[in-house]
Amino acid sequence: MSATSSLRARLAFVALLSATTFYCIHKYRRLKRLKNLSLNPSSTTSKPSRGKIFFISETGTAKALAQRLHELCAANDIAFDLIDPRSYEPEELPKETLVIFIASTWDGGKPPKNGEFLVNWLGESAEDFRVGSLLLSDCKFGVFGVGSRAYGESYNAVAKELSSRMTGLGGLEMIPVGEGDVDDGELDKSFQEWCDGVIRVLKGGSAQETNGVSQQIDAVENDLEYYESTDEEEDDGDDGGLVDLEDIAGKAPSKRNGLVKVAKVDGKKEMVTPVIRASLTKQGYKIIGSHSGVKICRWTKSQLRGRGGCYKHSFYGIESHRCMETTPSLACANKCVFCWRHHTNPVGKSWQWKMDEPSVIVKGALDLHTKMIKQMKGVPGVTPEKLQEGLNPRHCALSLVGEPIMYPEINALVDELHGRRISTFLVTNAQFPEKILMMKPITQLYVSVDAATKESLKAIDRPLFADFWERFIDSLKALQEKQQRTVYRLTLVKGWNTEELDAYFNLFSIGKPDFIEIKGVTYCGSSATSKLTMENVPWHADVKAFSEALSVKSKGEYEVACEHAHSCCVLLGRTEKFKLNGKWFTWIDYEKFHDLVASGEPFTSTDYMAETPSWAVYGAEEGGFDPEQLRYKKERHHHPKPQAVLA
């Protein structure tokens, strides 16, 4: 028995010794080969391999930038292949001699799906002691990151990780990591400057020259004031309150050790920087003070010309030509995929900027609005009577851009408007429930309900808050506490949220809104920050079908009340409050509302309702178009398709 045990022990020892010897020989030969590659890179091949440009992209921004760099390299006779990481085997990286990454940062600091495997492979390899630190010793690389400072510490996290992992595996970084912020308006400029550096290095420029420039910048920055981007209101350590600092500074800031340079006015930051001002002004906005804006709506122009009003005219009886569209806060806490401002406005979790007085904002908005109305004088269809009415606004849509409820003095601003007998329609993005609760009575309060599940809301709204879903639900609950008119505002995006019928219905009981507006998303053209196309825009028939299905789900609690076919918009109304004796009362008695506000006594939404005219009711042949207006349709001269010629 003892002889058998001794034999087994000897065999086990021999096997272990053999395995250890084999591993040591394999490791020695591998390390020797890698060292030889590092010392004699030209010995691996007589012809250098083409460089690789990888794009790690979610919405297409990084891909577009990578294509730009690829074209720039081709113009300079530098051969590169443009690579989608999904079609690349990471095990091939040790064979590469030159790689460039254009990488965006997505959900929670993670890479987009097309780059997950590559980034994870690099991370695992760098942490694996068996791989060693010479794996990529023959590879020069560069990284440019695309992200948003609004997301705090995760800003360009993927680009920084790529740089760290490549360096840890022996790669030689030929140029410092470039960083671009999609929100600051200078992404193109930052990328171009970084590309110029890449081309300079590839054409023989020394790394010392590039580093010298960097050292000069650092020397200048030592004399500047820095502000550490932290938010005292956040317990989770996020860069919560101070976001989009590049926008605040007005130019791409230099960074070092997590500090960001910030421009200040009297100790407070300016929300609207020269970059943002130029961008918004180009889009037709008139900037008021340091954080507000106003813009004339196309429906205001349309009704001035007698060519029809907006859906609010059909649903609630506003006079579109007497409506002023404005906002006291250009900043927002979301970065929605369908943002019709293409994210040119700043973002933030809390108010961190210099604040203008409510009276100054209202006066500035009225002055700028009336100036734009005056420019309509002489336009065909604009009568002197309509022009005079337009110069005396009666309604204010606080929904232009950003999050108006963020403005600390929003109640005082509403008082300023009501004091002028101007009605208020305020839209909030459901991220500030405490602000909803403290709001004074307004004519109509909206909450944007862009999705019905946590996952889709995160994908569509791209909120800054980590607890965005809890804030969303609390905002709906807060709506139920309001006594005046309340509205859920649903924006349908085909392929994103149109399949969530049951989930939407489940939200009805939380806020119990008076009305539910259901509108198809408006396509606003291509954007570097959104991948929506016309395929995501539902037809009016789709919106009607969705609305009718919700009405059926509610079992009579809500019914389809109105529609505005031109806006692809439908209104559901709460039957027990606004449908009396078979007639809808969705319109508003505005004079009665102002009298109720002036009285100081409590009142409810039913105290200032008015009957809806027949042409605005759902199913009417007018489709929500006011018969007193003149329907105008543009003539479209499409070129006929060429006919095939048979030989």
Side-chain angles (χ1 to χ4, degrees):
M1 186 69 177
S2 61
T4 302
S5 299
S6 177
L7 178 60
R8 289 178 178 173
R10 289 176 183 178
L11 290 174
F13 176 75
V14 171
L16 178 61
L17 182 62
S18 298
T20 304
T21 303
F22 176 79
Y23 173 77
C24 291
I25 293 173
H26 169 74
K27 191 71 173 177
Y28 169 76
R29 288 178 177 175
R30 185 169 178 277
L31 289 174
K32 184 176 180 180
R33 180 175 63 84
L34 289 173
K35 288 180 179 179
N36 288 335
L37 287 175
S38 179
L39 295 172
N40 303 290
S42 60
S43 66
T44 59
T45 176
S46 58
K47 183 179 180 180
S49 63
R50 293 166 64 92
K52 301 287 192 299
I53 300 176
F54 295 93
F55 58 86
I56 300 175
S57 182
E58 180 73 24
T59 64
T61 304
K63 181 179 180 180
L65 294 177
Q67 290 171 334
R68 277 178 50 187
L69 177 57
H70 185 250
E71 294 170 359
L72 181 62
C73 289
N76 283 274
D77 297 322
I78 303 172
F80 270 93
D81 292 326
L82 189 62
I83 304 293
D84 184 336
R86 279 178 295 202
S87 61
Y88 184 82
E89 175 53 59
E91 296 287 347
E92 297 294 314
L93 264 180
K95 300 178 183 179
E96 306 292 353
T97 58
L98 181 61
V99 297
I100 294 175
F101 299 95
I102 312 298
S104 62
T105 298
W106 201 239
D107 183 17
K110 298 177 183 178
K113 290 183 179 180
N114 81 315
E116 277 183 342
F117 186 70
L118 176 61
V119 175
N120 290 341
W121 183 89
L122 281 170
E124 292 170 0
S125 298
E127 297 295 334
D128 192 339
F129 74 94
R130 297 168 297 177
V131 174
S133 59
L134 297 175
L135 181 66
L136 304 179
S137 58
D138 196 32
C139 182
K140 294 180 181 179
F141 73 93
V143 184
F144 186 87
V146 183
S148 170
R149 281 196 174 81
Y151 292 96
E153 293 180 357
S154 65
Y155 173 59
N156 279 327
V158 173
K160 295 169 186 174
E161 180 181 0
L162 282 169
S163 172
S164 174
R165 298 307 192 187
M166 290 290 292
T167 302
L169 290 169
L172 176 62
E173 193 165 33
M174 59 182 176
I175 187 170
V177 177
E179 295 188 65
D181 189 335
V182 296
D183 296 321
D184 74 343
E186 296 199 356
L187 174 61
D188 287 343
K189 179 181 177 182
S190 300
F191 183 66
Q192 188 59 52
E193 290 175 350
W194 185 82
C195 287
D196 292 342
V198 170
I199 298 299
R200 185 168 58 249
V201 171
L202 293 178
K203 282 192 168 185
S206 67
Q208 285 74 20
E209 291 175 358
T210 304
N211 290 338
V213 174
S214 178
Q215 290 169 2
Q216 291 175 17
I217 293 174
D218 283 345
V220 173
E221 290 176 351
N222 283 333
D223 297 328
L224 297 173
E225 178 183 2
Y226 285 82
Y227 186 91
E228 187 168 7
S229 55
T230 59
D231 185 0
E232 296 178 356
E233 296 180 5
E234 296 294 315
D235 296 329
D236 57 6
D238 280 350
D239 182 355
L242 272 182
V243 290
D244 226 0
L245 295 178
E246 199 161 333
D247 282 343
I248 297 169
K251 56 183 179 179
S254 302
K255 304 176 296 299
R256 193 178 65 182
N257 299 328
L259 301 182
V260 183
K261 185 170 54 180
V262 176
K264 296 185 177 182
V265 177
D266 297 330
K268 295 181 180 179
K269 301 173 291 296
E270 289 274 0
M271 179 188 292
V272 178
T273 66
V275 171
I276 298 175
R277 185 179 295 271
S279 177
L280 291 175
T281 300
K282 186 177 180 181
Q283 297 177 52
Y285 295 88
K286 306 298 182 183
I287 307 302
I288 309 162
S290 64
H291 55 75
S292 307
V294 64
K295 185 181 183 182
I296 191 169
C297 174
R298 75 180 185 92
W299 286 110
T300 299
K301 298 177 183 178
S302 176
Q303 198 161 26
L304 276 171
R305 303 181 70 183
R307 294 182 174 183
C310 68
Y311 77 90
K312 288 190 182 75
H313 173 60
S314 301
F315 294 177
Y316 314 119
I318 76 163
E319 299 173 276
S320 300
H321 67 297
R322 306 183 75 180
C323 182
M324 175 177 69
E325 193 173 17
T326 187
T327 181
S329 171
L330 291 163
C332 187
N334 289 342
K335 297 167 68 64
C336 303
V337 295
F338 55 75
C339 178
W340 56 341
R341 315 305 177 192
H342 295 316
H343 307 116
T344 48
N345 56 306
V347 288
K349 291 182 180 178
S350 60
W351 192 269
Q352 299 286 339
W353 304 281
K354 174 187 175 183
M355 188 182 72
D356 299 326
E357 291 298 319
S359 58
V360 173
I361 296 172
V362 172
K363 184 179 184 303
L366 289 169
D367 289 346
L368 291 171
H369 177 78
T370 52
K371 284 182 180 179
M372 289 185 282
I373 294 294
K374 288 178 180 178
Q375 293 174 4
M376 294 294 294
K377 184 178 181 180
V379 174
V382 179
T383 65
E385 293 76 19
K386 286 291 182 184
L387 185 66
Q388 191 58 43
E389 288 177 352
L391 292 172
N392 184 26
R394 293 291 85 201
H395 317 285
C396 180
L398 292 162
S399 59
L400 178 63
V401 66
E403 176 57 87
I405 211 167
M406 281 181 69
Y407 176 54
E409 294 296 328
I410 185 64
N411 275 327
L413 183 134
V414 168
D415 286 343
E416 288 283 341
L417 291 167
H418 289 170
R420 292 171 167 81
R421 297 184 78 81
I422 297 175
S423 66
T424 48
F425 292 77
L426 187 147
V427 180
T428 176
N429 292 314
Q431 289 296 290
F432 298 94
E434 71 285 354
K435 296 282 189 179
I436 295 176
L437 288 171
M438 54 79 69
M439 279 297 304
K440 287 185 175 182
I442 61 174
T443 312
Q444 190 155 285
L445 177 62
Y446 292 78
V447 166
S448 292
V449 182
D450 300 327
T453 66
K454 183 176 182 179
E455 294 72 23
S456 57
L457 187 69
K458 185 174 186 178
I460 292 175
D461 279 3
R462 296 191 288 183
L464 303 185
F465 286 107
D467 60 342
F468 66 93
W469 182 250
E470 292 75 15
R471 287 175 169 271
F472 173 74
I473 295 298
D474 286 344
S475 294
L476 301 187
K477 292 178 180 177
L479 209 64
Q480 192 175 162
E481 301 296 321
K482 312 308 289 184
Q483 297 300 308
Q484 288 69 48
R485 294 166 66 108
T486 57
V487 184
Y488 278 7
R489 189 177 193 177
L490 278 60
T491 300
L492 297 186
V493 187
K494 189 182 293 185
W496 290 71
N497 61 7
T498 52
E499 305 300 322
E500 300 177 348
L501 189 71
D502 290 337
Y504 272 117
F505 173 69
N506 292 335
L507 297 178
F508 286 9
S509 62
I510 299 177
K512 296 187 180 300
D514 291 327
F515 301 100
I516 300 165
E517 286 181 7
I518 305 171
K519 189 178 187 299
V521 67
T522 301
Y523 178 63
C524 301
S526 60
S527 166
T529 52
S530 174
K531 54 185 178 182
L532 294 186
T533 68
M534 281 299 297
E535 295 296 321
N536 300 113
V537 180
W539 295 96
H540 185 54
D542 299 327
V543 176
K544 289 171 64 175
F546 189 90
S547 304
E548 290 171 358
L550 277 178
S551 175
V552 171
K553 280 276 184 185
S554 75
K555 297 181 179 179
E557 183 180 3
Y558 291 91
E559 291 182 7
V560 186
C562 305
E563 69 174 316
H564 191 252
H566 192 109
S567 297
C568 197
C569 190
V570 172
L571 180 71
L572 297 183
R574 198 168 177 182
T575 54
E576 66 175 0
K577 295 177 69 174
F578 298 98
K579 192 174 186 182
L580 308 178
N581 300 320
K583 294 184 178 181
W584 282 105
F585 286 75
T586 67
W587 275 36
I588 296 172
D589 184 336
Y590 293 99
E591 295 306 314
K592 181 69 175 298
F593 169 78
H594 291 302
D595 290 342
L596 290 168
V597 170
S599 72
E601 299 295 327
F603 63 97
T604 68
S605 56
T606 57
D607 291 330
Y608 56 101
M609 64 184 185
E611 185 176 346
T612 310
S614 60
W615 57 264
V617 174
Y618 188 70
E621 62 179 1
E622 292 88 351
F625 186 87
D626 188 341
E628 293 185 4
Q629 300 285 303
L630 177 65
R631 188 184 293 271
Y632 177 81
K633 294 184 179 180
K634 292 182 180 179
E635 292 186 18
R636 302 187 183 278
H637 303 284
H638 297 291
H639 295 290
K641 294 182 179 179
Q643 301 295 317
V645 179
L646 299 177

